[in-house]
């Protein structure tokens, strides 16, 4: 699996949480643009964790502010 | 003397537009002002002018039934408890002025730890100055760098702050979701230390955790388990040891966290454990070491109260009756409650929004009833709640009076 595939999968996973239909770019912020609250973040992270069978701790999440950073972080975890 | 202090009198000229550090509180300030502008009494500024008993106080000059104090067993005015406190105040003075590891351990501190060991039938007990510090200290110290803490998303602020203070990786899961918890435990890298943090009773909705299943899953994955039993001590389980005892899994719980500020009726926090190396925590746990110990009168009242709670089965049964009566009554009146059935001594009444929640709170206080108003962000799913906590000292008649006040206020505010 490469970055493009991870990007595509996460794009599908984010859809149900993207209530306002914000256009997703690498620079799209979870707090600022998507206005995710803490419960949404938990559910969204859980969806990604279940899909890729990985764990993204809150400490790691603190470093991830936008979509591009998330794809990078997940890619790093799944591409060994 | 540091340079900062020697320059303190020099007036600081503000250059340009340095941000006001308080700007981040503006949304909250605006929300509060908006609420108070509607003419409502500030629900977070209530003064108990006089306290008459565990269930009655004078507020705004009016005798008020207390239904939001977590004083579950009504020990605050127990004559033996008061007597013990008075004696300790006279014999040992008003405070210890020192840390537990220096000059702050008196005979009374050892005695209350002995009482806790007997109450829980466990090998070790460590008393902190507050329940908040017990969670803060144990969680941040036990789980270190490279370890994982797996916790319920609805955990109390003191648990989250304990996570924040420590260096472990933090992994939350959906409230009371056994499968979500297991998935996260399964994915933790091999060889990493694991601590699962749960609560017996969750104080916002008054619901309990499926500890039997959760503790078994945690053990299957080799995790240590910490259970906060703050809202269950004294009346849940055969000996009043909490939800873990009630569900038969207390032996598999590594750390029980508790407080003196609820059923015990004073202030302080503790951790009990059977871990053979537990005592080392007294030297490495910063929220234990770097603060003054509890005053002698407080530990004396706590020890007396804990010993009396060991024989509290009649009071426990009455508290359960109260909880059932209130839950059934409120449901019948048409209020939306936090749980389908009464699961603890907390009954949470769900309000449609903050405005009507505050109006309802005001109508209740004017009717002579105090409950807790809980609002976002402290609440799950941003709910506004009126939390009622029952006391073993509430009489049957009082519970009926409470229901009457709720009915009148609910109709006046238009919630029922």
């Amino acid at each position: 699996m490469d970055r493009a595939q991870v990007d595509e999968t996460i794009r599908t996973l984010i859809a149900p949480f993207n209530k306002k239909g914000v256009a997703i770019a690498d620079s799209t912020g979870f707090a600022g643009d998507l206005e995710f609250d803490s419960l949404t973040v938990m559910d969204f992270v859980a969806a990604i964790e279940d899909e890729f069978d990985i764990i993204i701790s809150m400490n790691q999440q603190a470093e991830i502010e936008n979509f591009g950073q998330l794809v990078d972080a997940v890619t790093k975890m799944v591409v060994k | 003397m540091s340079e900062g202090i020697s320059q303190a009198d020099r007036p600081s000229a503000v250059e340009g537009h340095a941000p006001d550090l308080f700007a981040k509180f503006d949304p909250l300030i605006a929300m509060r002002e908006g609420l108070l502008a509607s003419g409502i009494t500030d629900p977070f500024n209530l003064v108990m002018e006089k306290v008459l008993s565990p269930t009655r106080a004078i507020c705004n000059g009016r005798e008020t039934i207390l239904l939001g104090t977590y004083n579950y067993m009504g020990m605050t005015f127990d004559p033996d408890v008061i007597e013990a406190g008075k004696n300790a105040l006279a014999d040992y003075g008003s405070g210890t002025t020192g840390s537990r590891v220096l000059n702050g351990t008196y005979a009374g501190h050892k005695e209350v730890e002995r009482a806790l060991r007997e109450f829980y039938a466990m090998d070790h007990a460590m008393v902190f100055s507050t329940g908040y510090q017990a969670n803060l200290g144990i969680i941040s110290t036990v789980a270190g760098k490279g370890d994982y803490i797996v916790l319920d998303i609805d955990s109390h602020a003191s648990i989250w702050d304990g996570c924040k203070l420590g260096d472990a990786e933090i992994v939350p899961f959906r409230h009371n979701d056994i499968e979500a918890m297991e998935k996260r435990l399964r994915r933790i890298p091999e060889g990493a230390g694991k601590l699962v943090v749960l609560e017996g009773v969750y104080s916002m909705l008054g619901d309990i955790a499926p500890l039997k299943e959760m503790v078994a899953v945690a053990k299957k994955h080799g995790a240590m388990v910490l259970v906060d039993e703050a809202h269950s001590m004294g009346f849940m389980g055969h000996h009043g040891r909490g939800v873990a005892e009630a569900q038969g899994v207390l032996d598999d719980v590594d750390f029980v966290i508790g407080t003196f500020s609820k059923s015990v009726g004073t202030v302080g926090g503790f951790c009990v454990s059977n871990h053979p190396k537990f005592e080392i925590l007294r030297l490495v746990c910063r929220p234990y070491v770097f603060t003054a110990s509890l005053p002698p009168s407080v530990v004396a009242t706590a020890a007396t109260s804990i010993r009396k709670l060991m024989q509290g089965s009649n009071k426990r049964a009455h508290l359960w009756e109260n909880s059932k009566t209130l839950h059934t009554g409120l449901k019948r009146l048409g209020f939306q409650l936090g749980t389908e059935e009464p699961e603890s001594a907390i009954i949470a009444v769900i309000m449609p929004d903050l405005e009507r929640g505050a109006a309802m709170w005001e109508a209740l206080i004017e009717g002579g009833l105090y409950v807790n108003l809980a609002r976002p962000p402290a609440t799950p799913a941003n709910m506004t709640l009126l939390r009622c906590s029952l006391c073993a000292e509430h009489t049957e008649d009082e519970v009926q009076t409470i229901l009457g006040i709720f009915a009148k206020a609910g109709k006046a505010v238009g919630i029922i």
Side-chain angles (χ1 to χ4, degrees), chain A residues 37-39 42-43 45-47 49-61, chain B residues 148 153 160 167-174 183-184 186-189 380-382:
Chain A
D37 61 15
S38 60
L39 267 185
M42 183 191 63
D43 286 339
V45 169
E49 288 176 330
D50 288 353
E51 176 68 30
F52 295 97
D53 200 25
I54 53 171
I55 202 159
I56 312 172
S57 71
M58 289 181 84
N59 320 42
Q60 290 169 303
Q61 290 167 36
Chain B
Y148 280 76
I153 191 84
W160 283 109
D167 299 316
E169 297 292 319
I170 310 304
V171 183
F173 61 86
R174 183 165 270 278
K183 274 186 198 163
R184 272 148 199 84
R186 186 161 45 78
R187 293 179 191 137
I188 291 173
N382 291 328

mmCIF file of all heavy atoms in Angstrom, chain A residues 37-39 42-43 45-47 49-61, chain B residues 148 153 160 167-174 183-184 186-189 380-382:
data_model
loop_
_atom_site.group_PDB
_atom_site.id
_atom_site.type_symbol
_atom_site.label_atom_id
_atom_site.label_comp_id
_atom_site.label_asym_id
_atom_site.label_seq_id
_atom_site.Cartn_x
_atom_site.Cartn_y
_atom_site.Cartn_z
ATOM 1 N N ASP A 37 -15.203 17.950 16.913
ATOM 2 C CA ASP A 37 -15.065 18.010 18.370
ATOM 3 C C ASP A 37 -14.391 16.723 18.844
ATOM 4 O O ASP A 37 -14.096 15.833 18.041
ATOM 5 C CB ASP A 37 -16.421 18.245 19.050
ATOM 6 C CG ASP A 37 -17.423 17.135 18.765
ATOM 7 O OD1 ASP A 37 -17.010 16.051 18.296
ATOM 8 O OD2 ASP A 37 -18.619 17.360 19.002
ATOM 9 N N SER A 38 -14.163 16.618 20.161
ATOM 10 C CA SER A 38 -13.348 15.502 20.654
ATOM 11 C C SER A 38 -14.010 14.143 20.398
ATOM 12 O O SER A 38 -13.323 13.157 20.130
ATOM 13 C CB SER A 38 -13.048 15.684 22.142
ATOM 14 O OG SER A 38 -14.248 15.737 22.879
ATOM 15 N N LEU A 39 -15.341 14.084 20.471
ATOM 16 C CA LEU A 39 -16.022 12.806 20.220
ATOM 17 C C LEU A 39 -15.906 12.397 18.755
ATOM 18 O O LEU A 39 -15.696 11.226 18.439
ATOM 19 C CB LEU A 39 -17.509 12.921 20.586
ATOM 20 C CG LEU A 39 -17.915 12.515 22.002
ATOM 21 C CD1 LEU A 39 -19.424 12.572 22.154
ATOM 22 C CD2 LEU A 39 -17.402 11.119 22.361
ATOM 23 N N MET A 42 -12.517 11.060 18.126
ATOM 24 C CA MET A 42 -12.352 9.688 18.610
ATOM 25 C C MET A 42 -12.968 8.681 17.628
ATOM 26 O O MET A 42 -12.351 7.665 17.300
ATOM 27 C CB MET A 42 -13.003 9.513 19.979
ATOM 28 C CG MET A 42 -12.782 8.117 20.542
ATOM 29 S SD MET A 42 -13.781 7.774 21.989
ATOM 30 C CE MET A 42 -15.423 7.900 21.291
ATOM 31 N N ASP A 43 -14.176 8.975 17.148
ATOM 32 C CA ASP A 43 -14.844 8.050 16.230
ATOM 33 C C ASP A 43 -14.109 7.962 14.892
ATOM 34 O O ASP A 43 -13.979 6.890 14.310
ATOM 35 C CB ASP A 43 -16.302 8.499 16.000
ATOM 36 C CG ASP A 43 -17.172 8.205 17.210
ATOM 37 O OD1 ASP A 43 -16.791 7.335 18.019
ATOM 38 O OD2 ASP A 43 -18.229 8.852 17.362
ATOM 39 N N VAL A 45 -10.874 8.603 14.346
ATOM 40 C CA VAL A 45 -9.618 7.884 14.574
ATOM 41 C C VAL A 45 -9.887 6.387 14.684
ATOM 42 O O VAL A 45 -9.160 5.567 14.107
ATOM 43 C CB VAL A 45 -8.895 8.420 15.839
ATOM 44 C CG1 VAL A 45 -7.740 7.501 16.233
ATOM 45 C CG2 VAL A 45 -8.374 9.835 15.600
ATOM 46 N N ALA A 46 -10.986 6.029 15.384
ATOM 47 C CA ALA A 46 -11.320 4.605 15.540
ATOM 48 C C ALA A 46 -11.585 3.961 14.176
ATOM 49 O O ALA A 46 -11.171 2.825 13.928
ATOM 50 C CB ALA A 46 -12.530 4.440 16.449
ATOM 51 N N ALA A 47 -12.250 4.702 13.287
ATOM 52 C CA ALA A 47 -12.530 4.173 11.949
ATOM 53 C C ALA A 47 -11.234 3.900 11.188
ATOM 54 O O ALA A 47 -11.088 2.863 10.532
ATOM 55 C CB ALA A 47 -13.409 5.163 11.175
ATOM 56 N N GLU A 49 -8.217 3.432 12.581
ATOM 57 C CA GLU A 49 -7.496 2.363 13.282
ATOM 58 C C GLU A 49 -8.044 0.994 12.880
ATOM 59 O O GLU A 49 -7.288 0.052 12.645
ATOM 60 C CB GLU A 49 -7.612 2.550 14.804
ATOM 61 C CG GLU A 49 -6.787 3.713 15.344
ATOM 62 C CD GLU A 49 -6.985 3.932 16.838
ATOM 63 O OE1 GLU A 49 -8.086 3.642 17.348
ATOM 64 O OE2 GLU A 49 -6.048 4.402 17.500
ATOM 65 N N ASP A 50 -9.375 0.893 12.815
ATOM 66 C CA ASP A 50 -9.995 -0.392 12.461
ATOM 67 C C ASP A 50 -9.670 -0.769 11.017
ATOM 68 O O ASP A 50 -9.389 -1.924 10.715
ATOM 69 C CB ASP A 50 -11.521 -0.314 12.654
ATOM 70 C CG ASP A 50 -11.903 -0.297 14.135
ATOM 71 O OD1 ASP A 50 -10.992 -0.477 14.974
ATOM 72 O OD2 ASP A 50 -13.085 -0.089 14.446
ATOM 73 N N GLU A 51 -9.691 0.218 10.121
ATOM 74 C CA GLU A 51 -9.427 -0.044 8.703
ATOM 75 C C GLU A 51 -7.996 -0.547 8.485
ATOM 76 O O GLU A 51 -7.775 -1.515 7.777
ATOM 77 C CB GLU A 51 -9.674 1.246 7.900
ATOM 78 C CG GLU A 51 -9.336 1.150 6.419
ATOM 79 C CD GLU A 51 -10.274 0.206 5.657
ATOM 80 O OE1 GLU A 51 -11.452 0.088 6.069
ATOM 81 O OE2 GLU A 51 -9.828 -0.418 4.668
ATOM 82 N N PHE A 52 -7.043 0.112 9.114
ATOM 83 C CA PHE A 52 -5.634 -0.220 8.869
ATOM 84 C C PHE A 52 -5.035 -1.142 9.933
ATOM 85 O O PHE A 52 -3.867 -1.507 9.848
ATOM 86 C CB PHE A 52 -4.798 1.069 8.780
ATOM 87 C CG PHE A 52 -5.138 1.941 7.608
ATOM 88 C CD1 PHE A 52 -6.006 3.016 7.759
ATOM 89 C CD2 PHE A 52 -4.608 1.685 6.346
ATOM 90 C CE1 PHE A 52 -6.328 3.831 6.683
ATOM 91 C CE2 PHE A 52 -4.926 2.495 5.265
ATOM 92 C CZ PHE A 52 -5.791 3.567 5.427
ATOM 93 N N ASP A 53 -5.845 -1.481 10.956
ATOM 94 C CA ASP A 53 -5.372 -2.277 12.087
ATOM 95 C C ASP A 53 -4.110 -1.676 12.721
ATOM 96 O O ASP A 53 -3.094 -2.337 12.897
ATOM 97 C CB ASP A 53 -5.123 -3.739 11.660
ATOM 98 C CG ASP A 53 -5.101 -4.676 12.864
ATOM 99 O OD1 ASP A 53 -5.717 -4.317 13.897
ATOM 100 O OD2 ASP A 53 -4.455 -5.737 12.792
ATOM 101 N N ILE A 54 -4.236 -0.398 13.044
ATOM 102 C CA ILE A 54 -3.123 0.320 13.684
ATOM 103 C C ILE A 54 -3.648 1.012 14.941
ATOM 104 O O ILE A 54 -4.844 0.974 15.220
ATOM 105 C CB ILE A 54 -2.523 1.408 12.752
ATOM 106 C CG1 ILE A 54 -3.652 2.336 12.244
ATOM 107 C CG2 ILE A 54 -1.745 0.770 11.622
ATOM 108 C CD1 ILE A 54 -3.162 3.550 11.501
ATOM 109 N N ILE A 55 -2.744 1.624 15.688
ATOM 110 C CA ILE A 55 -3.139 2.406 16.853
ATOM 111 C C ILE A 55 -2.550 3.802 16.690
ATOM 112 O O ILE A 55 -1.379 3.948 16.348
ATOM 113 C CB ILE A 55 -2.665 1.686 18.143
ATOM 114 C CG1 ILE A 55 -3.471 2.127 19.347
ATOM 115 C CG2 ILE A 55 -1.203 1.856 18.397
ATOM 116 C CD1 ILE A 55 -3.405 1.130 20.489
ATOM 117 N N ILE A 56 -3.391 4.825 16.842
ATOM 118 C CA ILE A 56 -2.902 6.215 16.776
ATOM 119 C C ILE A 56 -3.204 6.847 18.129
ATOM 120 O O ILE A 56 -4.338 7.228 18.402
ATOM 121 C CB ILE A 56 -3.595 7.026 15.662
ATOM 122 C CG1 ILE A 56 -3.609 6.247 14.334
ATOM 123 C CG2 ILE A 56 -2.912 8.382 15.473
ATOM 124 C CD1 ILE A 56 -4.450 6.916 13.238
ATOM 125 N N SER A 57 -2.200 6.892 19.006
ATOM 126 C CA SER A 57 -2.441 7.413 20.356
ATOM 127 C C SER A 57 -2.729 8.908 20.309
ATOM 128 O O SER A 57 -2.449 9.576 19.317
ATOM 129 C CB SER A 57 -1.229 7.142 21.248
ATOM 130 O OG SER A 57 -0.152 7.977 20.847
ATOM 131 N N MET A 58 -3.291 9.432 21.393
ATOM 132 C CA MET A 58 -3.589 10.865 21.446
ATOM 133 C C MET A 58 -2.312 11.694 21.345
ATOM 134 O O MET A 58 -2.335 12.799 20.823
ATOM 135 C CB MET A 58 -4.345 11.204 22.729
ATOM 136 C CG MET A 58 -5.771 10.680 22.711
ATOM 137 S SD MET A 58 -6.678 11.080 24.201
ATOM 138 C CE MET A 58 -7.232 12.737 23.808
ATOM 139 N N ASN A 59 -1.214 11.113 21.842
ATOM 140 C CA ASN A 59 0.070 11.812 21.754
ATOM 141 C C ASN A 59 0.446 12.004 20.292
ATOM 142 O O ASN A 59 0.925 13.061 19.889
ATOM 143 C CB ASN A 59 1.177 11.009 22.448
ATOM 144 C CG ASN A 59 0.715 10.375 23.746
ATOM 145 O OD1 ASN A 59 -0.394 9.842 23.827
ATOM 146 N ND2 ASN A 59 1.532 10.447 24.761
ATOM 147 N N GLN A 60 0.222 10.939 19.474
ATOM 148 C CA GLN A 60 0.514 11.053 18.040
ATOM 149 C C GLN A 60 -0.467 11.992 17.363
ATOM 150 O O GLN A 60 -0.109 12.764 16.489
ATOM 151 C CB GLN A 60 0.451 9.661 17.393
ATOM 152 C CG GLN A 60 1.592 8.762 17.820
ATOM 153 C CD GLN A 60 1.365 7.316 17.384
ATOM 154 O OE1 GLN A 60 0.355 6.713 17.732
ATOM 155 N NE2 GLN A 60 2.294 6.776 16.625
ATOM 156 N N GLN A 61 -1.744 11.926 17.800
ATOM 157 C CA GLN A 61 -2.769 12.798 17.203
ATOM 158 C C GLN A 61 -2.449 14.281 17.397
ATOM 159 O O GLN A 61 -2.792 15.117 16.577
ATOM 160 C CB GLN A 61 -4.144 12.500 17.809
ATOM 161 C CG GLN A 61 -4.720 11.150 17.406
ATOM 162 C CD GLN A 61 -5.907 10.775 18.278
ATOM 163 O OE1 GLN A 61 -6.690 11.627 18.675
ATOM 164 N NE2 GLN A 61 -6.029 9.494 18.579
ATOM 165 N N TYR B 148 1.349 2.158 27.656
ATOM 166 C CA TYR B 148 0.081 2.611 27.071
ATOM 167 C C TYR B 148 -1.006 2.683 28.135
ATOM 168 O O TYR B 148 -1.149 1.750 28.939
ATOM 169 C CB TYR B 148 -0.373 1.645 25.963
ATOM 170 C CG TYR B 148 0.343 1.876 24.663
ATOM 171 C CD1 TYR B 148 1.655 1.451 24.493
ATOM 172 C CD2 TYR B 148 -0.282 2.526 23.597
ATOM 173 C CE1 TYR B 148 2.332 1.673 23.299
ATOM 174 C CE2 TYR B 148 0.386 2.743 22.395
ATOM 175 C CZ TYR B 148 1.686 2.320 22.253
ATOM 176 O OH TYR B 148 2.350 2.546 21.075
ATOM 177 N N ILE B 153 -13.524 7.139 27.211
ATOM 178 C CA ILE B 153 -13.562 8.545 26.786
ATOM 179 C C ILE B 153 -14.303 9.431 27.790
ATOM 180 O O ILE B 153 -14.033 10.622 27.891
ATOM 181 C CB ILE B 153 -14.187 8.673 25.359
ATOM 182 C CG1 ILE B 153 -14.003 10.087 24.781
ATOM 183 C CG2 ILE B 153 -15.658 8.292 25.361
ATOM 184 C CD1 ILE B 153 -12.687 10.336 24.112
ATOM 185 N N TRP B 160 -7.961 12.189 33.158
ATOM 186 C CA TRP B 160 -7.348 12.814 31.965
ATOM 187 C C TRP B 160 -6.120 13.631 32.353
ATOM 188 O O TRP B 160 -5.103 13.609 31.660
ATOM 189 C CB TRP B 160 -8.367 13.713 31.255
ATOM 190 C CG TRP B 160 -9.360 12.922 30.454
ATOM 191 C CD1 TRP B 160 -10.678 12.734 30.730
ATOM 192 C CD2 TRP B 160 -9.103 12.204 29.238
ATOM 193 N NE1 TRP B 160 -11.251 11.940 29.770
ATOM 194 C CE2 TRP B 160 -10.325 11.607 28.848
ATOM 195 C CE3 TRP B 160 -7.965 12.003 28.454
ATOM 196 C CZ2 TRP B 160 -10.440 10.825 27.695
ATOM 197 C CZ3 TRP B 160 -8.075 11.226 27.310
ATOM 198 C CH2 TRP B 160 -9.305 10.643 26.936
ATOM 199 N N ASP B 167 3.971 10.374 30.937
ATOM 200 C CA ASP B 167 4.616 10.286 29.624
ATOM 201 C C ASP B 167 4.120 9.117 28.781
ATOM 202 O O ASP B 167 4.697 8.801 27.743
ATOM 203 C CB ASP B 167 6.137 10.144 29.812
ATOM 204 C CG ASP B 167 6.728 11.337 30.534
ATOM 205 O OD1 ASP B 167 6.351 12.471 30.178
ATOM 206 O OD2 ASP B 167 7.538 11.140 31.463
ATOM 207 N N ALA B 168 3.072 8.435 29.231
ATOM 208 C CA ALA B 168 2.595 7.255 28.499
ATOM 209 C C ALA B 168 1.822 7.652 27.251
ATOM 210 O O ALA B 168 1.396 8.804 27.101
ATOM 211 C CB ALA B 168 1.715 6.411 29.418
ATOM 212 N N GLU B 169 1.633 6.670 26.358
ATOM 213 C CA GLU B 169 0.793 6.873 25.171
ATOM 214 C C GLU B 169 -0.665 6.719 25.606
ATOM 215 O O GLU B 169 -1.019 5.748 26.286
ATOM 216 C CB GLU B 169 1.121 5.819 24.106
ATOM 217 C CG GLU B 169 2.549 5.895 23.566
ATOM 218 C CD GLU B 169 2.799 7.150 22.741
ATOM 219 O OE1 GLU B 169 1.908 7.527 21.959
ATOM 220 O OE2 GLU B 169 3.877 7.758 22.894
ATOM 221 N N ILE B 170 -1.509 7.654 25.199
ATOM 222 C CA ILE B 170 -2.898 7.679 25.662
ATOM 223 C C ILE B 170 -3.832 7.205 24.547
ATOM 224 O O ILE B 170 -3.832 7.763 23.450
ATOM 225 C CB ILE B 170 -3.298 9.110 26.097
ATOM 226 C CG1 ILE B 170 -2.252 9.694 27.060
ATOM 227 C CG2 ILE B 170 -4.697 9.119 26.703
ATOM 228 C CD1 ILE B 170 -1.982 8.872 28.285
ATOM 229 N N VAL B 171 -4.630 6.184 24.857
ATOM 230 C CA VAL B 171 -5.534 5.620 23.855
ATOM 231 C C VAL B 171 -6.949 5.506 24.440
ATOM 232 O O VAL B 171 -7.224 4.605 25.239
ATOM 233 C CB VAL B 171 -5.035 4.232 23.398
ATOM 234 C CG1 VAL B 171 -5.942 3.680 22.301
ATOM 235 C CG2 VAL B 171 -3.593 4.306 22.906
ATOM 236 N N PRO B 172 -7.854 6.406 24.052
ATOM 237 C CA PRO B 172 -9.216 6.329 24.582
ATOM 238 C C PRO B 172 -10.111 5.419 23.745
ATOM 239 O O PRO B 172 -9.823 5.162 22.582
ATOM 240 C CB PRO B 172 -9.716 7.771 24.469
ATOM 241 C CG PRO B 172 -8.966 8.341 23.316
ATOM 242 C CD PRO B 172 -7.672 7.586 23.185
ATOM 243 N N PHE B 173 -11.179 4.922 24.357
ATOM 244 C CA PHE B 173 -12.169 4.150 23.594
ATOM 245 C C PHE B 173 -13.567 4.637 23.962
ATOM 246 O O PHE B 173 -13.769 5.270 25.002
ATOM 247 C CB PHE B 173 -12.023 2.641 23.866
ATOM 248 C CG PHE B 173 -12.230 2.250 25.313
ATOM 249 C CD1 PHE B 173 -13.499 1.993 25.817
ATOM 250 C CD2 PHE B 173 -11.135 2.151 26.181
ATOM 251 C CE1 PHE B 173 -13.688 1.639 27.148
ATOM 252 C CE2 PHE B 173 -11.323 1.818 27.517
ATOM 253 C CZ PHE B 173 -12.596 1.564 28.003
ATOM 254 N N ARG B 174 -14.532 4.346 23.090
ATOM 255 C CA ARG B 174 -15.915 4.777 23.263
ATOM 256 C C ARG B 174 -16.475 4.277 24.595
ATOM 257 O O ARG B 174 -16.206 3.155 25.004
ATOM 258 C CB ARG B 174 -16.751 4.264 22.081
ATOM 259 C CG ARG B 174 -18.196 4.688 22.095
ATOM 260 C CD ARG B 174 -18.873 4.480 20.766
ATOM 261 N NE ARG B 174 -18.747 5.666 19.929
ATOM 262 C CZ ARG B 174 -19.541 6.740 20.034
ATOM 263 N NH1 ARG B 174 -20.511 6.753 20.909
ATOM 264 N NH2 ARG B 174 -19.361 7.783 19.256
ATOM 265 N N LYS B 183 -10.084 -4.084 21.008
ATOM 266 C CA LYS B 183 -9.358 -3.816 19.757
ATOM 267 C C LYS B 183 -8.093 -3.003 20.023
ATOM 268 O O LYS B 183 -7.044 -3.251 19.448
ATOM 269 C CB LYS B 183 -10.247 -2.996 18.819
ATOM 270 C CG LYS B 183 -11.189 -3.825 17.959
ATOM 271 C CD LYS B 183 -11.861 -2.877 16.997
ATOM 272 C CE LYS B 183 -13.107 -3.457 16.390
ATOM 273 N NZ LYS B 183 -13.938 -2.394 15.785
ATOM 274 N N ARG B 184 -8.237 -1.984 20.890
ATOM 275 C CA ARG B 184 -7.093 -1.123 21.164
ATOM 276 C C ARG B 184 -6.007 -1.870 21.937
ATOM 277 O O ARG B 184 -4.820 -1.738 21.651
ATOM 278 C CB ARG B 184 -7.563 0.127 21.892
ATOM 279 C CG ARG B 184 -7.954 1.151 20.888
ATOM 280 C CD ARG B 184 -9.066 2.091 21.239
ATOM 281 N NE ARG B 184 -9.553 2.665 19.995
ATOM 282 C CZ ARG B 184 -10.447 2.070 19.212
ATOM 283 N NH1 ARG B 184 -11.000 0.931 19.560
ATOM 284 N NH2 ARG B 184 -10.795 2.616 18.067
ATOM 285 N N ARG B 186 -5.435 -5.023 21.773
ATOM 286 C CA ARG B 186 -4.847 -6.006 20.873
ATOM 287 C C ARG B 186 -3.764 -5.389 19.985
ATOM 288 O O ARG B 186 -2.801 -6.052 19.621
ATOM 289 C CB ARG B 186 -5.977 -6.602 20.016
ATOM 290 C CG ARG B 186 -5.595 -7.738 19.113
ATOM 291 C CD ARG B 186 -6.804 -8.556 18.680
ATOM 292 N NE ARG B 186 -7.952 -7.761 18.252
ATOM 293 C CZ ARG B 186 -8.067 -7.161 17.065
ATOM 294 N NH1 ARG B 186 -7.088 -7.233 16.197
ATOM 295 N NH2 ARG B 186 -9.154 -6.468 16.764
ATOM 296 N N ARG B 187 -3.931 -4.103 19.646
ATOM 297 C CA ARG B 187 -3.002 -3.460 18.706
ATOM 298 C C ARG B 187 -1.775 -2.855 19.372
ATOM 299 O O ARG B 187 -0.881 -2.363 18.680
ATOM 300 C CB ARG B 187 -3.738 -2.346 17.948
ATOM 301 C CG ARG B 187 -4.810 -2.883 17.026
ATOM 302 C CD ARG B 187 -5.518 -1.753 16.316
ATOM 303 N NE ARG B 187 -6.702 -2.234 15.642
ATOM 304 C CZ ARG B 187 -7.875 -1.605 15.647
ATOM 305 N NH1 ARG B 187 -8.007 -0.459 16.284
ATOM 306 N NH2 ARG B 187 -8.895 -2.095 15.003
ATOM 307 N N ILE B 188 -1.732 -2.846 20.687
ATOM 308 C CA ILE B 188 -0.577 -2.262 21.375
ATOM 309 C C ILE B 188 0.667 -3.117 21.074
ATOM 310 O O ILE B 188 0.600 -4.338 21.136
ATOM 311 C CB ILE B 188 -0.834 -2.171 22.901
ATOM 312 C CG1 ILE B 188 -1.921 -1.107 23.163
ATOM 313 C CG2 ILE B 188 0.433 -1.834 23.673
ATOM 314 C CD1 ILE B 188 -2.386 -1.027 24.597
ATOM 315 N N PRO B 189 1.771 -2.447 20.732
ATOM 316 C CA PRO B 189 2.977 -3.202 20.370
ATOM 317 C C PRO B 189 3.395 -4.176 21.472
ATOM 318 O O PRO B 189 3.248 -3.877 22.649
ATOM 319 C CB PRO B 189 4.043 -2.114 20.199
ATOM 320 C CG PRO B 189 3.345 -0.814 20.201
ATOM 321 C CD PRO B 189 1.958 -1.005 20.673
ATOM 322 N N PRO B 380 -20.782 14.357 28.746
ATOM 323 C CA PRO B 380 -20.654 13.601 27.502
ATOM 324 C C PRO B 380 -21.622 14.133 26.447
ATOM 325 O O PRO B 380 -22.736 14.566 26.781
ATOM 326 C CB PRO B 380 -21.024 12.169 27.898
ATOM 327 C CG PRO B 380 -21.541 12.210 29.283
ATOM 328 C CD PRO B 380 -21.330 13.576 29.844
ATOM 329 N N ALA B 381 -21.189 14.117 25.186
ATOM 330 C CA ALA B 381 -22.014 14.536 24.046
ATOM 331 C C ALA B 381 -22.604 15.946 24.226
ATOM 332 O O ALA B 381 -23.686 16.247 23.718
ATOM 333 C CB ALA B 381 -23.123 13.522 23.770
ATOM 334 N N ASN B 382 -21.887 16.793 24.964
ATOM 335 C CA ASN B 382 -22.301 18.194 25.152
ATOM 336 C C ASN B 382 -23.707 18.365 25.712
ATOM 337 O O ASN B 382 -24.422 19.305 25.372
ATOM 338 C CB ASN B 382 -22.164 18.972 23.843
ATOM 339 C CG ASN B 382 -20.707 19.147 23.468
ATOM 340 O OD1 ASN B 382 -19.850 19.250 24.346
ATOM 341 N ND2 ASN B 382 -20.422 19.155 22.185
#
